[in-house]
Amino acid sequence: MPVPDRTVGLPIHLLYPIISSVLLAVASFSSADSVWYVSANTPTETIRFAAQNYCGYNVSNLQITDKLGCIYRGWQYQIPDGYFGFDLPTDISKNFSKVVVTSVVAFALVVVAGVHHAYFIRYSFRKMPEPNKDKLWSLAQLHFVSIVVVFLFTWIAFIAQATIIGNSVGGDPQRSAVAIYWGQSTWLVLAAAILHTGWGYEAVRWRAAMLK
């Protein structure tokens, strides 16, 4: 089995897990005061929901005039009906925080796969002694499988989150009691999922190169 073609397995390919882990970490651990998944808006109040907490604001003409504070509830918070003085879709008040745990799991998977990827690259470049061919092949197989798992789970996370939010989005806070709007975090998960397509492509190329 020849040494892998050095157009594959390059250190620069570690940018895939590095960028992805940053995107998923922001989505998973940011306060709703900075980056959020979804917001509920009335003509006088806005509530932003993140993975770990939710933050409230007084608004005038949908412009924030005063911060009401943030409440930490981890990833399993459930909000009682009428808690804010207006009704929220059940998906947002009861189910949302459970679904966004998938971002945290995706982040953990990317970190593990990224560490293995870094070790694989380092081992494949070793000169003295030369890398064991059987071990290289085993590492290539494990690398390929780990990226497949990361790719699939990240897309599942995005689809689950988008379904929950998408089912609730809509309304006009000027005409109805509450309107639901997308935040940024789900799109960060989508960006990571798209990035994993490139990461997976490189894993396939590296594995194929070792078959030659």
Side-chain angles (χ1 to χ4, degrees):
M1 185 181 301
V3 174
D5 185 346
R6 289 292 82 175
T7 64
V8 298
L10 299 176
I12 194 173
H13 295 155
L14 289 174
L15 285 175
Y16 287 112
I18 291 172
I19 296 173
S20 173
S21 62
V22 170
L23 293 173
L24 292 171
V26 171
S28 300
F29 304 110
S30 292
S31 166
D33 203 26
S34 56
V35 177
W36 60 95
Y37 282 91
V38 64
S39 65
N41 301 270
T42 72
T44 60
E45 190 174 355
T46 292
I47 311 296
R48 295 173 179 170
F49 299 92
Q52 302 182 67
N53 64 3
Y54 50 90
C55 299
Y57 308 86
N58 285 327
V59 299
S60 176
N61 295 322
L62 301 183
Q63 298 295 317
I64 294 174
T65 60
D66 183 35
K67 181 177 177 179
L68 301 176
C70 297
I71 299 176
Y72 177 82
R73 287 290 183 269
W75 290 280
Q76 295 292 324
Y77 61 77
Q78 294 193 356
I79 300 168
D81 293 337
Y83 181 80
F84 299 112
F86 52 82
D87 291 331
L88 286 172
T90 301
D91 273 343
I92 301 300
S93 62
K94 298 294 192 293
N95 303 324
F96 168 74
S97 64
K98 301 175 184 178
V99 172
V100 296
V101 177
T102 55
S103 294
V104 183
V105 178
F107 169 76
L109 290 173
V110 168
V111 170
V112 172
V115 169
H116 176 265
H117 190 180
Y119 173 76
F120 186 18
I121 290 173
R122 183 175 181 275
Y123 184 78
S124 69
F125 272 95
R126 193 173 72 177
K127 298 297 184 183
M128 294 295 293
E130 290 188 358
N132 179 275
K133 294 178 180 179
D134 290 335
K135 184 174 181 178
L136 274 177
W137 176 246
S138 297
L139 289 173
Q141 292 289 80
L142 184 56
H143 174 58
F144 175 75
V145 171
S146 67
I147 304 308
V148 169
V149 171
V150 167
F151 174 84
L152 291 176
F153 192 87
T154 310
W155 277 106
I156 290 170
F158 167 72
I159 291 170
Q161 294 168 19
T163 300
I164 287 286
I165 299 174
N167 285 339
S168 305
V169 164
D172 182 346
Q174 300 292 358
R175 299 179 182 178
S176 60
V178 62
I180 307 298
Y181 294 121
W182 292 87
Q184 309 95 333
S185 293
T186 300
W187 306 120
L188 294 178
V189 176
L190 174 60
I194 294 172
L195 194 66
H196 294 162
T197 303
W199 197 13
Y201 174 70
E202 291 301 334
V204 170
R205 287 184 65 237
W206 200 354
R207 182 175 178 273
M210 299 192 69
L211 288 171
K212 294 178 181 179

